[in-house]
PDB file of all heavy atoms in Angstrom:
ATOM      1  N   LEU Y  34     -27.286  41.084  27.959  1.00 34.00           N
ATOM      2  CA  LEU Y  34     -28.430  42.018  27.856  1.00 34.00           C
ATOM      3  C   LEU Y  34     -29.591  41.666  28.664  1.00 34.00           C
ATOM      4  O   LEU Y  34     -30.305  42.445  29.236  1.00 34.00           O
ATOM      5  CB  LEU Y  34     -28.950  42.033  26.369  1.00 34.00           C
ATOM      6  CG  LEU Y  34     -28.129  42.918  25.391  1.00 34.00           C
ATOM      7  CD1 LEU Y  34     -28.667  42.783  24.031  1.00 34.00           C
ATOM      8  CD2 LEU Y  34     -28.076  44.349  25.783  1.00 34.00           C
ATOM      9  N   ILE Y  41     -33.185  48.286  28.416  1.00 36.00           N
ATOM     10  CA  ILE Y  41     -32.053  47.473  27.789  1.00 36.00           C
ATOM     11  C   ILE Y  41     -31.590  48.296  26.586  1.00 36.00           C
ATOM     12  O   ILE Y  41     -30.514  48.039  25.987  1.00 36.00           O
ATOM     13  CB  ILE Y  41     -32.521  46.159  27.294  1.00 36.00           C
ATOM     14  CG1 ILE Y  41     -33.744  46.272  26.254  1.00 36.00           C
ATOM     15  CG2 ILE Y  41     -33.005  45.356  28.492  1.00 36.00           C
ATOM     16  CD1 ILE Y  41     -33.975  44.991  25.612  1.00 36.00           C
ATOM     17  N   PHE Y  42     -32.142  49.363  26.194  1.00 39.00           N
ATOM     18  CA  PHE Y  42     -31.738  50.156  25.026  1.00 39.00           C
ATOM     19  C   PHE Y  42     -30.886  51.427  25.445  1.00 39.00           C
ATOM     20  O   PHE Y  42     -30.486  52.292  24.677  1.00 39.00           O
ATOM     21  CB  PHE Y  42     -32.915  50.695  24.254  1.00 39.00           C
ATOM     22  CG  PHE Y  42     -33.715  49.619  23.549  1.00 39.00           C
ATOM     23  CD1 PHE Y  42     -34.978  49.185  24.104  1.00 39.00           C
ATOM     24  CD2 PHE Y  42     -33.269  49.063  22.465  1.00 39.00           C
ATOM     25  CE1 PHE Y  42     -35.644  48.186  23.561  1.00 39.00           C
ATOM     26  CE2 PHE Y  42     -34.021  47.986  21.918  1.00 39.00           C
ATOM     27  CZ  PHE Y  42     -35.195  47.642  22.520  1.00 39.00           C
ATOM     28  N   GLY Y  43     -30.443  51.295  26.675  1.00 48.00           N
ATOM     29  CA  GLY Y  43     -29.622  52.301  27.225  1.00 48.00           C
ATOM     30  C   GLY Y  43     -28.117  52.222  26.684  1.00 48.00           C
ATOM     31  O   GLY Y  43     -27.917  51.277  25.955  1.00 48.00           O
ATOM     32  N   SER Y  44     -27.288  53.073  27.013  1.00 51.00           N
ATOM     33  CA  SER Y  44     -25.859  53.039  26.444  1.00 51.00           C
ATOM     34  C   SER Y  44     -25.185  51.832  26.804  1.00 51.00           C
ATOM     35  O   SER Y  44     -24.409  51.314  25.881  1.00 51.00           O
ATOM     36  CB  SER Y  44     -25.123  54.249  27.008  1.00 51.00           C
ATOM     37  OG  SER Y  44     -25.014  54.211  28.329  1.00 51.00           O
ATOM     38  N   ARG Y  45     -25.377  51.271  27.902  1.00 53.00           N
ATOM     39  CA  ARG Y  45     -24.742  50.010  28.288  1.00 53.00           C
ATOM     40  C   ARG Y  45     -25.220  48.836  27.503  1.00 53.00           C
ATOM     41  O   ARG Y  45     -24.389  48.026  26.969  1.00 53.00           O
ATOM     42  CB  ARG Y  45     -24.862  49.762  29.724  1.00 53.00           C
ATOM     43  CG  ARG Y  45     -24.140  48.565  30.265  1.00 53.00           C
ATOM     44  CD  ARG Y  45     -24.312  48.306  31.735  1.00 53.00           C
ATOM     45  NE  ARG Y  45     -23.557  47.157  32.232  1.00 53.00           N
ATOM     46  CZ  ARG Y  45     -23.729  46.641  33.431  1.00 53.00           C
ATOM     47  NH1 ARG Y  45     -24.600  47.127  34.239  1.00 53.00           N
ATOM     48  NH2 ARG Y  45     -23.093  45.478  33.666  1.00 53.00           N
ATOM     49  N   GLY Y  46     -26.588  48.873  27.288  1.00 52.00           N
ATOM     50  CA  GLY Y  46     -27.141  47.713  26.435  1.00 52.00           C
ATOM     51  C   GLY Y  46     -26.580  47.801  25.040  1.00 52.00           C
ATOM     52  O   GLY Y  46     -26.347  46.841  24.402  1.00 52.00           O
ATOM     53  N   ILE Y  47     -26.590  48.944  24.439  1.00 51.00           N
ATOM     54  CA  ILE Y  47     -26.080  49.071  23.039  1.00 51.00           C
ATOM     55  C   ILE Y  47     -24.686  48.735  22.947  1.00 51.00           C
ATOM     56  O   ILE Y  47     -24.263  48.036  21.913  1.00 51.00           O
ATOM     57  CB  ILE Y  47     -26.362  50.630  22.559  1.00 51.00           C
ATOM     58  CG1 ILE Y  47     -27.860  50.864  22.431  1.00 51.00           C
ATOM     59  CG2 ILE Y  47     -25.684  50.811  21.184  1.00 51.00           C
ATOM     60  CD1 ILE Y  47     -28.308  52.299  22.119  1.00 51.00           C
ATOM     61  N   SER Y  48     -23.841  49.176  23.913  1.00 57.00           N
ATOM     62  CA  SER Y  48     -22.472  48.742  23.924  1.00 57.00           C
ATOM     63  C   SER Y  48     -22.187  47.232  23.909  1.00 57.00           C
ATOM     64  O   SER Y  48     -21.457  46.734  23.245  1.00 57.00           O
ATOM     65  CB  SER Y  48     -21.704  49.354  25.054  1.00 57.00           C
ATOM     66  OG  SER Y  48     -20.377  48.957  25.026  1.00 57.00           O
ATOM     67  N   THR Y  49     -23.087  46.658  24.792  1.00 55.00           N
ATOM     68  CA  THR Y  49     -23.008  45.026  24.989  1.00 55.00           C
ATOM     69  C   THR Y  49     -23.397  44.437  23.644  1.00 55.00           C
ATOM     70  O   THR Y  49     -22.726  43.450  23.130  1.00 55.00           O
ATOM     71  CB  THR Y  49     -23.868  44.672  26.027  1.00 55.00           C
ATOM     72  OG1 THR Y  49     -23.563  45.392  27.186  1.00 55.00           O
ATOM     73  CG2 THR Y  49     -23.766  43.146  26.262  1.00 55.00           C
ATOM     74  N   LEU Y  50     -24.422  44.950  23.032  1.00 48.00           N
ATOM     75  CA  LEU Y  50     -24.941  44.405  21.752  1.00 48.00           C
ATOM     76  C   LEU Y  50     -23.837  44.601  20.599  1.00 48.00           C
ATOM     77  O   LEU Y  50     -23.498  43.587  19.907  1.00 48.00           O
ATOM     78  CB  LEU Y  50     -26.262  45.043  21.350  1.00 48.00           C
ATOM     79  CG  LEU Y  50     -26.837  44.629  19.976  1.00 48.00           C
ATOM     80  CD1 LEU Y  50     -27.087  43.171  19.962  1.00 48.00           C
ATOM     81  CD2 LEU Y  50     -28.085  45.472  19.569  1.00 48.00           C
ATOM     82  N   ARG Y  51     -23.178  45.718  20.660  1.00 55.00           N
ATOM     83  CA  ARG Y  51     -22.097  45.930  19.622  1.00 55.00           C
ATOM     84  C   ARG Y  51     -21.054  45.057  19.825  1.00 55.00           C
ATOM     85  O   ARG Y  51     -20.510  44.402  18.882  1.00 55.00           O
ATOM     86  CB  ARG Y  51     -21.669  47.403  19.726  1.00 55.00           C
ATOM     87  CG  ARG Y  51     -20.620  47.820  18.646  1.00 55.00           C
ATOM     88  CD  ARG Y  51     -20.110  49.177  18.889  1.00 55.00           C
ATOM     89  NE  ARG Y  51     -21.141  50.206  18.729  1.00 55.00           N
ATOM     90  CZ  ARG Y  51     -21.601  50.972  19.763  1.00 55.00           C
ATOM     91  NH1 ARG Y  51     -20.982  50.796  20.921  1.00 55.00           N
ATOM     92  NH2 ARG Y  51     -22.504  51.802  19.541  1.00 55.00           N
ATOM     93  N   ASN Y  52     -20.556  44.772  21.126  1.00 59.00           N
ATOM     94  CA  ASN Y  52     -19.434  43.834  21.422  1.00 59.00           C
ATOM     95  C   ASN Y  52     -19.858  42.498  20.896  1.00 59.00           C
ATOM     96  O   ASN Y  52     -18.976  41.651  20.478  1.00 59.00           O
ATOM     97  CB  ASN Y  52     -19.122  43.978  22.782  1.00 59.00           C
ATOM     98  CG  ASN Y  52     -18.503  45.242  23.298  1.00 59.00           C
ATOM     99  OD1 ASN Y  52     -17.937  45.999  22.422  1.00 59.00           O
ATOM    100  ND2 ASN Y  52     -18.641  45.574  24.508  1.00 59.00           N
TER     101      ASN Y  52
END
Side-chain angles (χ1 to χ4, degrees):
L34 282 178
I41 63 170
F42 295 102
S44 60
R45 185 179 176 189
I47 291 174
S48 175
T49 304
L50 177 61
R51 184 184 298 113
N52 292 337

